[in-house]
Amino acid sequence: MKKILLTFLLAGTLFVPAFAQLTDTEQAFIQKCYDNVDKAKKQLSPETAKECVTKLNDGNASLLNKLRAETSASGNSAVAGDIVAYNNALVDLKGIIANYKGSDLADALTRVIEGEDCALCDLGLGPKPESIFAWTGEKAGGRLFEVKKSVKTWEALGEIRINSLSRPEHGFNKEKWNEQAIPLRYEKLSGWAKKEVDKLEAFAAMPGKAEGSAGYISKMARLLWEDLTMPGDEVYREKLNKLVTGAAKPDAGAVSGKTDKEDKKSKEMASSAEKAASLKGQSTASQQDALNKYFDNAEAKKGLAVTPAGGAAAVLAGGAAAPKEFKPVKMTEAQAAALSAKMATVKDGKMTGYLADEIKGTKAGNEVLDFYNKKPYDKTGYNTLNLKFEEGKGQTANALGWWSDSDRTTRVNTNLVDAYCVKNKITPEQLLASDAHMKGVATYVAPNFVHESTHQRQSAWARANGLDFVKYKGGITGAPYIYPMEKESFGMQSAFSAEKASKLGPSYLASISPSHRANAEQFMEDGLDTLSIEKHALYPGVDSMEGGAAREFKAARDVSTYVDALEQKKRTDPAGLTEKQVADLRYYKGQMDTKYKWYTMNYQKSAADEAKLLAWRDSLDDDGAIRTSAPPAL
Amino acid sequence: MKTAIFALLLSPALLSAQGQERNDKMQEKSLKHSEAPYFTVTLPAGWEKKDSPFGLSAKEKKVFGVEVFGPAGADGIECTISVHYYAPGNLLHKTMEKYIKRHAQPVLGANLDAKQYAKVKDGSVAGYSAKLFERIVYEYLPPESIKQKKVAVYEHFAVVPAKAGFFVLKYHAQKEIAKGNIKAFEGVLGSFVRLVK
């Protein structure tokens, strides 16, 4: 068995004894994976990294397990951890750069190069965004300009901004500007743009302007619009709109012509900034709660915008106003409690109620029912159904519902129910007394209930498998929050809606929100890939599987090194180990075992979840011929 | 090809080529891509490969291919071209007929937002017989907004059968720039070489 030379990742050179359990081919492959993330060797290939991550996890992670056993026995467990952390980090970075753009890209890069436990930073990629340019140019050349634009690097700001920001009143130059973190660059540009809007307004008000001033105003307005991305900037955007409209020239509509595109950018960035700001300093569990709320908020908003006339959400948007004589009555807390009990409760070990009736008979719904009906997570105590209809306020004002890991409760917003009552011209009291209306509410909220219940099941799964190693205040534990959890939840709710549609037809599709309908359509057409990539942009602070692995193993690097030192001492001088060191060795080895278990189980679960959902999907339609008649229209 | 498949593309608005930003480091020459042992194609100059997300691997799904994206429309929707081989037993679309059925008509049976579907026609791609169809569907932007804009997206599909499995060559573009970038897709179609018979 030949010896393998491993260059220690960040310092010096390490000779590692032959790995007795590895074949020559396996050893060569491990060497390749290690060399790939050796900063000194300057490879950092995302393709090699992907190959390493995939092969290490193939076949129930058999190669990774062998590597762990070998490196642990020889006191070199940090080697395995480095291979996992840094190759995953490269896969994650390439995926981010290849799949996202604009503010979504900026958010994702902020997460992986400016966040805590930055594995990429150990490879020289971060925390400054400019440090990834050379790598991007080499590994994803076509995306370099997009990356530069998204992180607002000095040279990509453009001449107008650079000239202005260089003036004494702003005092920036390239170095000073690029010293700032990505979110701060967006913030500074917003502040600058607001001042420039005021100047532009003053200019527009001047009498006797030169010919062509309307064109100038329009051009500047378009440019400034891009930078008004922070919460509260809407006022200034409105000013720009008025300025351009007031210019009344052929190009006067230039800004409004760009409104939708730039409005998207603005809202995404503002939303991201709000999210980032509100999540700062919160525990992971709190962040998860908040992010769940954000998702559902987005769903609610979508529903508001495009639900066909007559839909419940259209009422919220004012699209189906109630008759003048009808005075809406808000649901009281007591009525909300009564509604919760009628919608879903567990009696004699079985979930019952309108929601139970709505979801049963579907594959996803049956799994949810099984979960609450004590199978298979009863021992965890995490499968108790706590459903609460509650008025959303602040961040949750427009949310359909949200799952809170901290108190293990699924909440549904009573604002939705109020809207349903307005649409149907009934009071909450009448709703509670009407079987038909209770069914209608259940139909509307069921996809979200499936989504949030899936999150609860994930918590129970982590608990049951001992993967809840993240500890929070109040004795709460949980597994790291990673995006595959959302992918599964979206998959479950989409599969649920698709199956209901396949059974009930167009009338069902008209009774759910357009975003739920769109998710189901996307799922049926192309599986989970596109759905997954698009939805991840709604969760800028949440790592992918690879990103989460990189962060966790980077965070555990010191632990690995300490365990290695203790293992070596145990071999060379066992009598010299103190009692505390013996206890530490056991404890920290256990920690690392749990972390690897979390990694490999999640990797496998992610693939298994997708395989299951795709199989469900395949059962929802047949191979029959294309219809020759026009599709049904409502 | 051109004459038969662009019934949905005859709007004058399609002549617009706005939003065609070019990246400074985009490759200037087209790139031959080999997805051996399934197919080869030549990818258009300046278009960038997209990465597949985590989850099941291509090998596990038994779907192999490449996707590139190019210029974006005014609403930020990028043109994409993808070429995939769906091997027998793949997890996404068991048969060619199923793939066509899922994309050439409303997949859930109801067309609530007036999508447009052209008839599936017989045609050819690089000398191989193929089923061709196109459609106009909609995306709602921005995703987190009360006020959403319904944006039309043009898609063209060429489905090429093989003795085992089938191939799909797909073009996706915001409607107003669809025609302006269709040549890139035509180049891919023309360069397609089927390695699986």
Side-chain angles (χ1 to χ4, degrees):
Chain A
M1 192 69 65
K2 72 178 178 186
K3 289 198 171 187
I4 188 168
L5 171 67
L6 293 179
T7 306
F8 209 51
L9 186 65
L10 299 171
T13 299
L14 182 71
F15 290 91
V16 176
F19 292 149
Q21 299 303 314
L22 298 185
T23 66
D24 286 356
T25 306
E26 287 171 337
Q27 288 204 29
F29 179 70
I30 294 299
Q31 181 76 62
K32 178 179 162 183
C33 296
Y34 201 81
D35 287 348
N36 189 49
V37 292
D38 180 347
K39 195 174 165 184
K41 289 196 165 70
K42 297 180 180 175
Q43 293 178 7
L44 307 182
S45 159
E47 285 77 24
T48 301
K50 188 154 195 168
E51 184 189 357
C52 293
V53 169
T54 303
K55 285 190 178 174
L56 283 168
N57 281 287
D58 274 351
N60 291 326
S62 58
L63 183 55
L64 177 59
N65 289 334
K66 282 166 83 173
L67 174 65
R68 278 202 64 215
E70 292 282 0
T71 53
S72 179
S74 61
N76 290 296
S77 62
V79 169
D82 286 350
I83 287 174
V84 171
Y86 300 117
N87 281 295
N88 269 293
L90 291 174
V91 175
D92 190 38
L93 181 62
K94 178 68 191 300
I96 287 168
I97 289 173
N99 289 324
Y100 298 101
K101 60 189 174 65
S103 59
D104 291 340
L105 178 55
D107 285 338
L109 289 174
T110 300
R111 181 179 77 231
V112 298
I113 65 173
E114 293 185 352
E116 284 181 8
D117 297 316
C118 167
L120 288 166
C121 298
D122 288 348
L123 303 176
L125 302 170
K128 285 175 68 66
E130 284 70 25
S131 63
I132 69 168
F133 290 172
W135 185 88
T136 304
E138 189 184 337
K139 313 294 184 189
R143 298 296 284 163
L144 182 57
F145 186 61
E146 184 62 46
V147 169
K148 286 181 175 179
K149 270 198 311 181
S150 79
V151 302
K152 306 291 183 190
T153 197
W154 182 256
E155 68 189 77
L157 293 178
E159 194 179 346
I160 292 174
R161 292 186 187 86
I162 288 176
N163 287 342
S164 178
L165 290 166
S166 302
R167 290 190 196 117
E169 62 187 285
H170 299 293
F172 281 108
N173 56 29
K174 182 179 176 178
E175 282 182 3
K176 200 173 169 188
W177 179 263
N178 287 350
E179 274 174 8
Q180 304 173 110
I182 298 167
L184 190 57
R185 298 177 188 188
Y186 276 85
E187 197 180 303
K188 287 287 163 81
L189 281 171
S190 164
W192 168 79
K194 283 192 273 196
K195 287 180 184 171
E196 294 300 314
V197 170
D198 289 338
K199 286 183 194 172
L200 197 62
E201 227 177 10
F203 172 73
M206 283 170 60
K209 291 188 291 296
E211 198 175 325
S213 60
Y216 168 76
I217 290 170
S218 177
K219 180 184 170 189
M220 281 303 294
R222 193 179 302 147
L223 182 139
L224 295 172
W225 187 277
E226 290 177 11
D227 298 329
L228 295 168
T229 58
M230 306 304 287
D233 285 359
E234 297 79 9
V235 178
Y236 284 85
R237 291 184 143 219
E238 194 50 44
K239 283 184 179 184
L240 288 178
N241 259 338
K242 284 180 183 166
L243 276 177
V244 172
T245 309
K249 296 288 180 186
D251 61 352
V255 167
S256 56
K258 283 251 181 182
T259 295
D260 290 306
K261 177 188 178 185
E262 295 173 350
D263 192 44
K264 173 176 182 279
K265 276 188 179 176
S266 166
K267 284 178 178 165
E268 285 174 349
M269 201 60 214
S271 170
S272 300
E274 284 171 338
K275 288 171 190 172
S278 65
L279 295 178
K280 201 173 179 182
Q282 293 186 26
S283 69
T284 305
S286 301
Q287 289 184 20
Q288 178 168 351
D289 290 348
L291 285 159
N292 289 339
K293 290 166 192 169
Y294 290 133
F295 155 67
D296 295 323
N297 192 31
E299 295 298 282
K301 286 175 179 174
K302 281 182 177 176
L304 289 172
V306 291
T307 294
V315 178
L316 290 173
K324 285 178 184 173
E325 63 271 21
F326 178 76
K327 288 187 179 177
V329 179
K330 280 185 80 70
M331 179 165 269
T332 65
E333 285 188 18
Q335 287 168 329
L339 180 65
S340 304
K342 286 191 172 192
M343 277 290 151
T345 190
V346 175
K347 284 181 185 169
D348 301 325
K350 284 202 179 300
M351 179 178 156
T352 60
Y354 288 98
L355 269 173
D357 292 343
E358 173 65 20
I359 66 174
K360 76 180 174 191
T362 62
K363 292 175 178 65
N366 286 346
E367 280 201 355
V368 170
L369 290 171
D370 275 352
F371 171 67
Y372 289 121
N373 294 345
K374 299 183 178 297
K375 295 177 283 187
Y377 297 115
D378 196 28
K379 286 180 183 172
T380 66
Y382 274 43
N383 65 337
T384 303
L385 172 65
N386 294 315
L387 176 66
K388 194 172 180 184
F389 280 76
E390 183 177 296
E391 184 178 1
K393 291 175 182 169
Q395 288 181 339
T396 58
N398 288 320
L400 288 173
W402 56 99
W403 155 251
S404 304
D405 207 12
S406 52
D407 62 359
R408 295 179 208 133
T409 299
T410 292
R411 289 178 168 82
V412 178
N413 198 336
T414 53
N415 290 342
L416 274 176
V417 186
D418 289 336
Y420 182 91
C421 290
V422 170
K423 178 201 166 201
N424 290 284
K425 295 177 241 173
I426 56 172
T427 64
E429 191 178 352
Q430 289 169 318
L431 164 70
L432 287 165
S434 164
D435 185 59
H437 285 307
M438 290 293 281
K439 283 179 180 169
V441 169
T443 298
Y444 196 75
V445 304
N448 269 84
F449 179 71
V450 170
H451 181 109
E452 307 305 345
S453 297
T454 302
H455 283 317
Q456 184 174 356
R457 189 174 63 172
Q458 289 158 355
S459 295
W461 176 81
R463 175 77 171 174
N465 288 290
L467 307 179
D468 54 334
F469 57 84
V470 183
K471 292 179 172 58
Y472 306 107
K473 284 179 185 173
I476 296 166
T477 59
Y481 178 29
I482 51 175
Y483 188 67
M485 294 156 77
E486 289 301 335
K487 183 180 177 183
E488 186 197 6
S489 286
F490 277 112
M492 286 283 284
Q493 74 164 79
S494 300
F496 167 74
S497 300
E499 187 170 357
K500 292 288 284 189
S502 75
K503 290 175 175 171
L504 301 175
S507 63
Y508 172 76
L509 290 171
S511 66
I512 60 174
S513 82
S515 60
H516 288 163
R517 188 182 75 225
N519 289 344
E521 287 175 344
Q522 205 166 39
F523 171 68
M524 285 307 295
E525 284 194 354
D526 296 311
L528 286 171
D529 286 351
T530 308
L531 186 69
S532 172
I533 287 178
E534 288 179 4
K535 297 297 181 192
H536 198 169
L538 300 175
Y539 299 82
V542 181
D543 282 317
S544 67
M545 176 75 244
E546 290 87 358
R551 198 181 303 278
E552 288 301 324
F553 283 93
K554 151 70 184 171
R557 204 160 187 275
D558 288 345
V559 173
S560 277
T561 306
Y562 182 48
V563 167
D564 285 346
L566 293 178
E567 282 282 9
Q568 286 181 13
K569 190 171 181 182
K570 188 180 168 188
R571 272 205 322 277
T572 56
D573 180 22
L577 279 176
T578 66
E579 267 186 41
K580 182 180 183 305
Q581 286 173 329
V582 171
D584 278 356
L585 182 57
R586 191 182 307 115
Y587 176 75
Y588 288 115
K589 271 187 85 170
Q591 265 200 356
M592 292 307 298
D593 287 346
T594 302
K595 202 152 274 199
Y596 276 102
K597 188 179 173 188
W598 166 82
Y599 172 59
T600 54
M601 284 192 77
N602 268 287
Y603 198 95
Q604 289 156 19
K605 182 178 188 298
S606 175
D609 289 340
E610 187 173 356
K612 176 189 76 179
L613 289 162
L614 290 179
W616 285 0
R617 166 180 169 268
D618 213 41
S619 70
L620 297 180
D621 55 7
D622 55 37
D623 290 322
I626 299 281
R627 270 190 302 273
T628 51
S629 59
L634 293 172
Chain B
M1 273 254 347
K2 280 183 192 172
T3 53
I5 66 171
F6 290 107
L8 294 173
L9 272 179
L10 297 177
S11 162
L14 296 179
L15 298 174
S16 162
Q18 58 182 302
Q20 295 188 43
E21 294 174 11
R22 290 282 164 179
N23 294 335
D24 57 355
K25 292 285 184 183
M26 277 183 167
Q27 64 203 38
E28 291 179 358
K29 291 181 180 176
S30 52
L31 175 72
K32 188 165 183 178
H33 174 86
S34 173
E35 197 73 23
Y38 310 113
F39 66 87
T40 63
V41 283
T42 301
L43 301 173
W47 292 50
E48 184 66 20
K49 279 187 197 171
K50 219 167 181 172
D51 222 25
S52 60
F54 56 86
L56 291 171
S57 65
K59 196 175 160 188
E60 288 166 322
K61 287 178 189 159
K62 295 187 181 176
V63 179
F64 307 91
V66 62
E67 182 172 15
V68 292
F69 57 94
D75 293 287
I77 298 172
E78 288 162 325
C79 296
T80 61
I81 295 171
S82 60
V83 184
H84 284 100
Y85 170 64
Y86 293 81
N90 79 80
L91 299 184
L92 283 178
H93 306 284
K94 295 277 188 268
T95 63
M96 185 175 103
E97 291 72 24
K98 202 155 188 171
Y99 182 93
I100 294 171
K101 192 181 170 192
R102 283 172 173 162
H103 293 85
Q105 63 185 16
V107 68
L108 290 174
N111 190 359
L112 298 181
D113 55 359
K115 299 179 188 83
Q116 298 171 58
Y117 295 87
K119 282 186 178 175
V120 180
K121 295 178 177 175
D122 291 325
S124 67
V125 169
Y128 308 110
S129 65
K131 298 285 185 187
L132 308 173
F133 60 96
E134 54 189 337
R135 67 183 190 177
I136 288 176
V137 293
Y138 299 97
E139 291 189 21
Y140 295 90
L141 300 173
E144 292 182 81
S145 171
I146 290 173
K147 185 183 175 187
Q148 288 183 310
K149 182 181 180 184
K150 184 178 174 182
V151 182
V153 173
Y154 169 83
E155 293 184 326
H156 179 88
F157 300 81
V159 184
V160 179
K163 281 184 182 172
F166 62 97
F167 300 86
V168 176
L169 297 90
K170 179 182 171 187
Y171 175 59
H172 168 103
Q174 196 168 328
K175 188 181 166 190
E176 88 270 5
I177 64 164
K179 195 168 185 178
N181 292 285
I182 196 73
K183 280 192 175 174
F185 183 55
E186 289 171 349
V188 171
L189 291 177
S191 71
F192 175 69
V193 176
R194 191 177 69 181
L195 302 178
V196 174
K197 297 301 174 189

